[in-house]
Amino acid sequence: MTKSALQIARAAYQPKLPKALKGTVKVSEGNPTQSIADQEAIQKLFPNTYGMPIIQFVESDEQVNYPAINVGVILSGGQAPGGHNVISGIFDGIKKMNKESKLYGFILGPGGLVDHNYKELTAEIIDEYRNTGGFDIIGSGRTKLEKESQFDKGYEILKELKIKALVIIGGDDSNTNACVLAEYYAAKNNGVQVIGCPKTIDGDLKNEMIETSFGFDTACKVYSEVIGNIQRDCNSARKYWHFIKLMGRSASHIALECALQVQPNVCIVSEEVEERNMSLDDVVTYIAQIVADRAAKGDNFGTVLIPEGLVEFIPAMKRLIAELNDFLATNAEEFAHIKKSHQREYIISKLSTENAEVYASLPEGVARQLTLDRDPHGNVQVSLIETEKLLSEMVGTKLAKWKEEGKYVGKFAALHHFFGYEGRCAAPSNYDADYCYSLGYTASALIANGKTGYMSSVRNTTAPAEEWIAGGVPITMMMNMERRHGEMKPVIQKALVKLDGAPFKEFASKRESWAINTDYVYPGPIQYFGPTEVCDQPTKTLKLEQTK
Amino acid sequence: MTKSALQIARAAYQPKLPKALKGTVKVSEGNPTQSIADQEAIQKLFPNTYGMPIIQFVESDEQVNYPAINVGVILSGGQAPGGHNVISGIFDGIKKMNKESKLYGFILGPGGLVDHNYKELTAEIIDEYRNTGGFDIIGSGRTKLEKESQFDKGYEILKELKIKALVIIGGDDSNTNACVLAEYYAAKNNGVQVIGCPKTIDGDLKNEMIETSFGFDTACKVYSEVIGNIQRDCNSARKYWHFIKLMGRSASHIALECALQVQPNVCIVSEEVEERNMSLDDVVTYIAQIVADRAAKGDNFGTVLIPEGLVEFIPAMKRLIAELNDFLATNAEEFAHIKKSHQREYIISKLSTENAEVYASLPEGVARQLTLDRDPHGNVQVSLIETEKLLSEMVGTKLAKWKEEGKYVGKFAALHHFFGYEGRCAAPSNYDADYCYSLGYTASALIANGKTGYMSSVRNTTAPAEEWIAGGVPITMMMNMERRHGEMKPVIQKALVKLDGAPFKEFASKRESWAINTDYVYPGPIQYFGPTEVCDQPTKTLKLEQTK
């Protein structure tokens, strides 16, 4: 591995730890817990891991002799900055308790457990990856651990390697599966503990006990850096509207956090679009009106932030897509015989009036894409829609109409960007480096104390690291029952942007001013070595949530 | 202006200056100079500004009383990091010589001079913009200063504001125009000096006396940061090929510098493609072979860097585009009546055999784009071609064929990126902050010494700033005669990537290993406060050029 100068300098960074984790760790247990909803159903599904208390670690100078322990770790799903620090935190934690302890990494995600694909993570390997981005130390994968056959196959290798605890680093689904696995092994009484760690740049795995998922801070800062740069360009050239799509299909936390950081002219929040039952035309009109208002004062430039998942939050689009899925599934053969140039009319003639209207309003490219590209289950591939281009094209069309009607005087030229892969593997910010290391270290303490079915939890993270609170939260506590693929399943509730939450309210109180005035902020790149007010700030989202 | 924490901290940075500029400045003149080619023609066109000596400033403790002077400044063309520091360097320079001196900025580029659109740049304004990115202090524009009527109109406002010297900050074309303006004012003997400053992120304005254009360093570092992040993602997920297009239409310096920084699997250098007379199919085959070779060892992922201007460097594509331009210009009406579904065949039937073949090999979308979107002069808009998608689509097609023939076993999934606007307005790196400030300060010294038709020059910049050499280079010295729009014109020779230059040779010596092995480097974001080996490095291009 050829290392950059920054990587070499950064390797020396010693992540901060909560006070309680510095000495010997003592467990303080709270009262029994309940799941956030559907208590009876969840309890029935998780008889061995339901109702456990919240755990907090407290300082202690008691000497404890921990036995050596073998631990396995899995990186599950999309990359997020800081994953390597979670792993080095686990490593340092179990080594501190007993230097004979060993850490094994399963290769390329949960599939590595099932396929018995692993490697031992030695001090030498770990040291190569401290404070670096990426998941390349062992790779990641999207295999879902759901079936008992997988659990049994996994147990074979755990037994062979004498692994007593498995740490699964993942998002809401992976942590749900971690809990199912914990329950399964507990029921089998096979002595394997399972601990989860909250990861996802999307920021949608959070609740009262999990303040934030790791990676969200760094990813949002990388996006805000480049958006800030684009805004400065926009404000210098004064002739383009930049439509910027941001990763995050299930929730708009990233777009909202970036908006709070860069103060764009427009930011669409999917959750609000859904809540207000806005149509695609409503969204387009909203943007076009701001373009027109700015043009009226001579400013034919601006920035628009768009969450990747927007289309799926627009109720009318959701209905259209549902009907298209059904229609094309049952009429695939007939449709295949329709001439390309007649497909649009054909589809319009077959849809219900409401959906036909929405379909007819779409630009040709998007309309075609909705009928042509379908996934293996026959569903429309919404993720392939270039929402940023869809919106700018429709805004352009609307403005042209307004121009004819004398309601708009200006020039509209659009540029498009999509940021996602740029931020998922950035080197973690100080915040994420510390938070991840603490999450990993906490996981090792949960293991040492015999816990299973817990998620590693580090809280109070807007305070200095010294004051952070480390502990564990029973995963069942975060669960409710939801319909997935037609079946009711116990799942961790996904955290969407709350319209009555402090971050959205802050944004909503400012957006009209940001829209018409040009009050861009240019956050610049993540700094690792400078003054603390530059280097050690958590996200605006978290700060606002904590000061409510 | 709401400022970010970094912006506030960064405002305090005092850019370094060459030693010679710290005290009173003394001029050391070299021998008379010649233009690099077409000496007779250039001399004839620039009787007043041809043959002037190279100037170097040397330290002195002589006290000189400079009169107060009013100076104008213009930002011309695309944004580049550091423009604000050039302006603050000019400001500090003229104020140091006489605190009654004044600086005026012309608004939104050269158009501001012609339209008499300006503002005085006071200490208060300047202080708001020190060490920041963007050109928003006065804005930039692309109006070309070419006509005598513009020069005369400009002189009116210069006279009104008692401006004795004008600094034009721009690329090769803008500096050519600065020289024409200098010559015109010198011939009129109206007492206005004109000085140029070498700006462009593209890096194609450089020669023996101008080591680099400002902004190239910062922009390449921003691109390398995000490409590095993508490479780390690529190496963690191990399932995508990322096709990354980089700004730079006329030369491939950016792509080459980024390649040296991140060590991708593939980087195409347009100048080499042209030199070797490669066809589009040759380029596609080259990439596809690397994809296949990596797939053979189980690595179905990788990165490809593509310079924005590639298509225009492929000789066969150039010939095709030329014939298309001619054909569509004379047959526009007939073509307009061809049905969309028959256009492709129609074009193929009308082109010469060679060009018809190339045209037929293009994916449908690109082929259509080449006949549909044309600029106001009726020319094909090459810049609209999404080269990154064109290449990945053609690579995919070739691999599918090879798979059928049993020559390729693997999966090929591509993602696309284009980076340009992300880097043009980033806050300048320490290198660019220092270099730009020195360029501006040097410009003020050239002005104080009565020079005109010079470009501000700061050299030896791979050494510590103390040892930098500041001076001026007659712009005519960099000129030759080139055909532009059918006419022979004096222009500054554009610096393309030299295939026998040290940067390309370094790349060429490593690329085979980078192609097959995964030896990605992750440079990380620009750091402003850390250790010097992280914060104060010039580009690899410059270092290699200087150590040859």
Side-chain angles (χ1 to χ4, degrees):
Chain A
M1 179 153 59
T2 309
K3 289 184 186 168
S4 66
L6 176 60
Q7 210 174 327
I8 294 166
R10 187 68 180 155
Y13 179 73
Q14 179 54 50
K16 304 184 191 85
L17 271 183
K19 221 176 186 176
L21 295 180
K22 288 186 177 168
T24 317
V25 158
K26 222 177 88 181
V27 170
S28 155
E29 293 198 353
N31 293 321
T33 58
Q34 295 272 340
S35 63
I36 43 162
D38 311 308
Q39 290 82 5
E40 217 170 304
I42 306 281
Q43 179 161 25
K44 208 168 146 195
L45 288 164
F46 296 91
N48 295 284
T49 53
Y50 187 86
M52 302 184 297
I54 288 173
I55 280 172
Q56 186 176 327
F57 293 120
V58 289
E59 272 182 291
S60 157
D61 41 23
E62 227 175 282
Q63 252 337 97
V64 188
N65 287 323
Y66 291 101
I69 188 172
N70 290 359
V71 172
V73 63
I74 293 173
L75 290 164
S76 179
Q79 281 77 253
H84 290 159
N85 270 28
V86 178
I87 294 177
S88 58
I90 300 170
F91 182 86
D92 289 354
I94 62 171
K95 287 286 186 186
K96 193 182 170 197
M97 285 180 269
N98 188 315
K99 64 182 187 342
E100 301 303 320
S101 293
K102 282 185 182 176
L103 183 61
Y104 291 93
F106 290 97
I107 308 292
L108 286 173
L113 177 69
V114 181
D115 303 336
H116 300 187
N117 191 4
Y118 66 91
K119 72 172 169 199
E120 192 189 334
L121 296 171
T122 60
E124 207 185 355
I125 296 174
I126 293 286
D127 286 348
E128 289 288 296
Y129 289 89
R130 289 180 192 272
N131 309 312
T132 61
F135 277 8
D136 42 310
I137 188 171
I138 46 174
S140 180
R142 295 194 180 270
T143 305
K144 288 193 190 307
L145 284 183
E146 288 175 319
K147 295 181 212 142
E148 297 193 350
S149 60
Q150 294 173 312
F151 303 165
D152 292 337
K153 201 88 184 81
Y155 179 63
E156 285 174 19
I157 188 67
L158 296 175
K159 198 174 159 195
E160 190 183 317
L161 298 172
K162 300 194 176 62
I163 290 175
K164 292 285 175 197
L166 192 60
V167 181
I168 296 179
I169 302 169
D172 51 344
D173 280 347
S174 304
N175 274 285
T176 293
N177 295 339
C179 192
V180 174
L181 186 64
E183 175 64 31
Y184 184 79
Y185 286 165
K188 292 257 172 188
N189 204 9
N190 68 9
V192 178
Q193 305 157 237
V194 183
I195 301 293
C197 270
K199 171 230 70 173
T200 164
I201 62 159
D202 294 350
D204 55 7
L205 169 49
K206 65 177 173 183
N207 51 55
E208 242 176 280
M209 302 306 293
I210 303 294
E211 291 183 346
T212 186
S213 53
F214 78 76
F216 176 67
D217 180 77
T218 307
C220 287
K221 281 174 179 159
V222 173
Y223 304 144
S224 296
E225 173 201 353
V226 287
I227 300 168
N229 289 354
I230 287 171
Q231 290 198 145
R232 193 127 208 178
D233 201 303
C234 179
N235 195 20
S236 300
R238 306 176 84 84
K239 61 181 176 184
Y240 291 118
W241 273 85
H242 292 266
F243 283 68
I244 303 166
K245 187 170 70 174
L246 294 163
M247 225 175 225
R249 274 189 69 190
S250 338
S252 308
H253 297 290
I254 292 178
L256 179 58
E257 170 65 22
C258 290
L260 292 168
Q261 286 198 32
V262 305
Q263 304 187 177
N265 300 109
V266 179
C267 173
I268 306 294
V269 174
S270 300
E271 288 84 343
E272 184 185 29
V273 169
E274 183 171 45
E275 169 73 24
R276 292 195 178 186
N277 198 13
M278 288 171 83
S279 66
L280 185 55
D281 185 63
D282 290 339
V283 175
V284 168
T285 304
Y286 170 71
I287 300 171
Q289 190 58 56
I290 290 172
V291 174
D293 291 347
R294 288 178 63 81
K297 45 175 258 186
D299 290 344
N300 288 298
F301 63 93
T303 50
V304 183
L305 306 191
I306 304 153
E308 191 184 9
L310 175 63
V311 166
E312 292 170 275
F313 277 84
I314 297 175
M317 287 295 290
K318 241 196 285 196
R319 289 192 293 272
L320 165 64
I321 289 164
E323 192 179 347
L324 273 176
N325 281 341
D326 285 352
F327 175 77
L328 291 171
T330 45
N331 300 277
E333 208 165 328
E334 187 178 319
F335 181 68
H337 288 97
I338 305 294
K339 268 179 71 177
K340 217 169 164 187
S341 52
H342 295 132
Q343 284 172 351
R344 193 173 164 119
E345 283 160 56
Y346 170 81
I347 292 284
I348 291 173
S349 74
K350 297 292 184 181
L351 294 175
S352 66
T353 319
E354 190 215 343
N355 289 335
E357 257 174 48
V358 175
Y359 187 82
S361 78
L362 297 175
E364 199 181 327
V366 177
R368 164 152 303 157
Q369 192 271 320
L370 281 179
T371 56
L372 286 193
D373 300 315
R374 293 157 70 206
D375 72 12
H377 310 288
N379 292 324
V380 164
Q381 286 191 271
V382 184
S383 66
L384 291 183
I385 299 177
E386 293 182 294
T387 318
E388 68 282 24
K389 291 185 186 165
L390 167 70
L391 287 180
S392 86
E393 196 173 328
M394 293 181 79
V395 166
T397 305
K398 184 156 297 256
L399 289 169
K401 201 172 135 247
W402 287 357
K403 192 169 248 176
E404 272 177 27
E405 296 166 9
K407 293 199 295 193
Y408 163 68
V409 187
K411 281 183 198 168
F412 177 72
L415 291 170
H416 305 96
H417 313 267
F418 169 44
F419 297 121
Y421 297 95
E422 292 77 3
R424 305 196 317 171
C425 284
S429 62
N430 284 352
Y431 177 86
D432 269 328
D434 297 345
Y435 182 53
C436 288
Y437 188 75
S438 298
L439 283 174
Y441 213 96
T442 302
S444 76
L446 289 166
I447 291 166
N449 285 282
K451 302 300 172 191
T452 190
Y454 275 83
M455 196 183 291
S456 178
S457 158
V458 176
R459 290 181 298 128
N460 197 33
T461 62
T462 52
E466 280 280 295
E467 299 165 31
W468 291 7
I469 298 161
V473 187
I475 301 178
T476 51
M477 188 186 166
M478 309 169 196
M479 286 190 171
N480 66 0
M481 300 297 290
E482 291 180 20
R483 186 168 297 278
R484 297 278 168 100
H485 302 292
E487 241 180 296
M488 289 307 283
K489 292 263 186 188
V491 294
I492 295 177
Q493 208 177 36
K494 211 178 259 299
L496 302 186
V497 169
K498 287 185 187 151
L499 301 188
D500 59 354
F504 182 81
K505 277 160 75 179
E506 167 73 10
F507 163 70
S509 74
K510 300 280 176 67
R511 63 177 156 187
E512 277 171 44
S513 159
W514 294 347
I516 192 73
N517 303 311
T518 303
D519 196 14
Y520 301 150
V521 176
Y522 316 119
I526 294 175
Q527 296 297 301
Y528 300 103
F529 307 100
T532 191
E533 70 274 16
V534 175
C535 300
D536 301 306
Q537 298 304 312
T539 57
K540 302 226 177 226
T541 299
L542 191 56
K543 274 204 249 187
L544 287 162
E545 283 171 347
Q546 302 267 309
T547 53
K548 68 189 163 188
Chain B
M1 179 154 57
T2 309
K3 290 185 187 168
S4 66
L6 176 60
Q7 210 174 327
I8 293 165
R10 187 69 180 154
Y13 180 73
Q14 178 55 49
K16 304 183 191 85
L17 269 183
K19 220 173 184 176
L21 294 181
K22 288 185 178 170
T24 316
V25 159
K26 220 177 91 182
V27 170
S28 156
E29 293 199 354
N31 294 321
T33 57
Q34 295 271 341
S35 63
I36 43 161
D38 311 308
Q39 288 84 2
E40 217 169 306
I42 306 278
Q43 179 161 25
K44 205 167 148 197
L45 288 164
F46 296 91
N48 296 285
T49 53
Y50 188 86
M52 302 183 298
I54 287 174
I55 281 172
Q56 185 176 329
F57 294 119
V58 289
E59 271 182 292
S60 156
D61 41 24
E62 227 174 283
Q63 253 335 99
V64 188
N65 287 321
Y66 291 102
I69 187 172
N70 289 358
V71 172
V73 63
I74 293 174
L75 291 164
S76 179
Q79 281 78 252
H84 291 159
N85 270 28
V86 178
I87 294 176
S88 58
I90 300 170
F91 182 85
D92 289 354
I94 62 171
K95 285 287 186 185
K96 192 180 171 201
M97 287 181 270
N98 188 316
K99 64 182 191 335
E100 300 303 320
S101 294
K102 281 186 183 176
L103 183 62
Y104 291 93
F106 290 97
I107 308 292
L108 286 173
L113 177 69
V114 181
D115 303 336
H116 300 187
N117 191 3
Y118 66 90
K119 71 172 169 198
E120 192 190 335
L121 296 171
T122 59
E124 207 185 355
I125 296 173
I126 293 285
D127 286 347
E128 289 287 296
Y129 289 90
R130 289 180 192 271
N131 309 312
T132 61
F135 277 7
D136 41 310
I137 188 170
I138 46 176
S140 179
R142 295 193 181 271
T143 303
K144 288 193 191 307
L145 284 184
E146 289 175 317
K147 295 183 212 139
E148 298 194 350
S149 61
Q150 293 174 313
F151 302 164
D152 292 336
K153 200 90 182 78
Y155 179 63
E156 284 175 20
I157 187 69
L158 296 175
K159 197 174 160 196
E160 190 184 317
L161 298 173
K162 300 193 176 64
I163 290 176
K164 292 285 175 196
L166 192 59
V167 182
I168 296 179
I169 302 169
D172 51 344
D173 280 346
S174 304
N175 274 284
T176 293
N177 296 340
C179 193
V180 174
L181 186 63
E183 175 65 31
Y184 184 80
Y185 286 165
K188 292 257 170 185
N189 204 8
N190 69 11
V192 178
Q193 305 158 236
V194 183
I195 301 293
C197 270
K199 170 230 71 171
T200 164
I201 61 160
D202 294 350
D204 54 7
L205 171 48
K206 65 176 172 184
N207 51 55
E208 243 177 280
M209 302 306 294
I210 304 294
E211 291 183 344
T212 187
S213 53
F214 79 75
F216 176 66
D217 180 77
T218 306
C220 287
K221 281 174 178 158
V222 174
Y223 304 145
S224 296
E225 173 202 353
V226 287
I227 299 168
N229 289 353
I230 287 171
Q231 290 198 147
R232 193 127 210 178
D233 201 302
C234 179
N235 195 21
S236 299
R238 307 175 82 84
K239 61 181 177 185
Y240 291 118
W241 274 85
H242 292 266
F243 283 69
I244 303 166
K245 186 170 70 175
L246 293 164
M247 226 175 223
R249 273 189 70 189
S250 339
S252 308
H253 297 289
I254 291 178
L256 179 59
E257 169 65 21
C258 291
L260 292 168
Q261 288 198 30
V262 305
Q263 305 187 177
N265 300 108
V266 180
C267 174
I268 306 295
V269 174
S270 300
E271 289 84 344
E272 184 185 29
V273 169
E274 184 171 45
E275 170 74 23
R276 293 195 178 186
N277 196 14
M278 288 171 81
S279 67
L280 186 54
D281 186 62
D282 290 338
V283 175
V284 168
T285 304
Y286 170 71
I287 301 171
Q289 190 58 56
I290 290 172
V291 174
D293 291 347
R294 288 178 62 81
K297 44 175 261 186
D299 290 344
N300 289 298
F301 63 92
T303 50
V304 182
L305 306 191
I306 303 153
E308 190 184 10
L310 175 62
V311 165
E312 291 170 276
F313 277 85
I314 297 175
M317 287 294 290
K318 241 197 282 194
R319 290 192 293 271
L320 166 65
I321 289 165
E323 190 179 349
L324 274 176
N325 281 341
D326 285 352
F327 176 76
L328 291 171
T330 45
N331 299 277
E333 207 165 327
E334 188 179 319
F335 180 70
H337 288 98
I338 306 294
K339 267 179 74 178
K340 217 171 166 185
S341 51
H342 295 131
Q343 285 172 351
R344 193 171 166 121
E345 284 160 56
Y346 169 81
I347 291 283
I348 291 174
S349 75
K350 297 292 184 180
L351 293 176
S352 66
T353 318
E354 188 216 344
N355 288 335
E357 258 173 48
V358 175
Y359 187 81
S361 78
L362 297 175
E364 198 182 327
V366 177
R368 163 152 304 157
Q369 193 270 316
L370 280 179
T371 56
L372 287 192
D373 299 317
R374 295 158 69 209
D375 73 12
H377 309 288
N379 292 324
V380 165
Q381 285 191 271
V382 184
S383 66
L384 290 184
I385 299 178
E386 292 182 296
T387 317
E388 68 283 22
K389 290 186 185 165
L390 167 70
L391 287 181
S392 86
E393 196 173 329
M394 292 182 80
V395 165
T397 305
K398 184 157 297 260
L399 289 170
K401 201 172 134 249
W402 288 356
K403 190 169 248 175
E404 272 177 28
E405 296 166 9
K407 294 198 294 192
Y408 163 67
V409 187
K411 280 183 199 168
F412 177 72
L415 292 170
H416 306 96
H417 313 267
F418 169 44
F419 297 121
Y421 297 95
E422 291 76 2
R424 306 197 317 173
C425 285
S429 61
N430 283 352
Y431 177 87
D432 269 329
D434 297 346
Y435 182 54
C436 289
Y437 187 76
S438 297
L439 283 173
Y441 213 96
T442 301
S444 76
L446 288 166
I447 292 167
N449 286 281
K451 303 300 171 190
T452 191
Y454 275 83
M455 195 183 292
S456 178
S457 158
V458 176
R459 289 181 299 129
N460 198 31
T461 61
T462 52
E466 280 279 295
E467 300 164 31
W468 291 7
I469 298 163
V473 187
I475 300 178
T476 51
M477 187 185 167
M478 308 170 197
M479 286 191 173
N480 65 359
M481 300 297 290
E482 291 179 21
R483 186 170 297 278
R484 296 278 170 100
H485 303 292
E487 239 180 296
M488 289 307 283
K489 292 263 187 187
V491 296
I492 295 176
Q493 208 177 35
K494 213 179 258 296
L496 303 186
V497 169
K498 287 184 187 152
L499 302 188
D500 59 354
F504 182 81
K505 277 161 77 180
E506 166 74 8
F507 164 70
S509 74
K510 301 278 176 68
R511 64 177 155 186
E512 278 172 43
S513 159
W514 295 347
I516 192 72
N517 303 309
T518 303
D519 196 14
Y520 301 149
V521 176
Y522 315 119
I526 293 174
Q527 296 297 300
Y528 300 103
F529 308 100
T532 190
E533 70 274 16
V534 175
C535 300
D536 300 307
Q537 297 305 313
T539 57
K540 301 225 177 229
T541 299
L542 191 56
K543 274 204 249 185
L544 287 162
E545 283 171 346
Q546 302 269 308
T547 53
K548 66 186 165 188

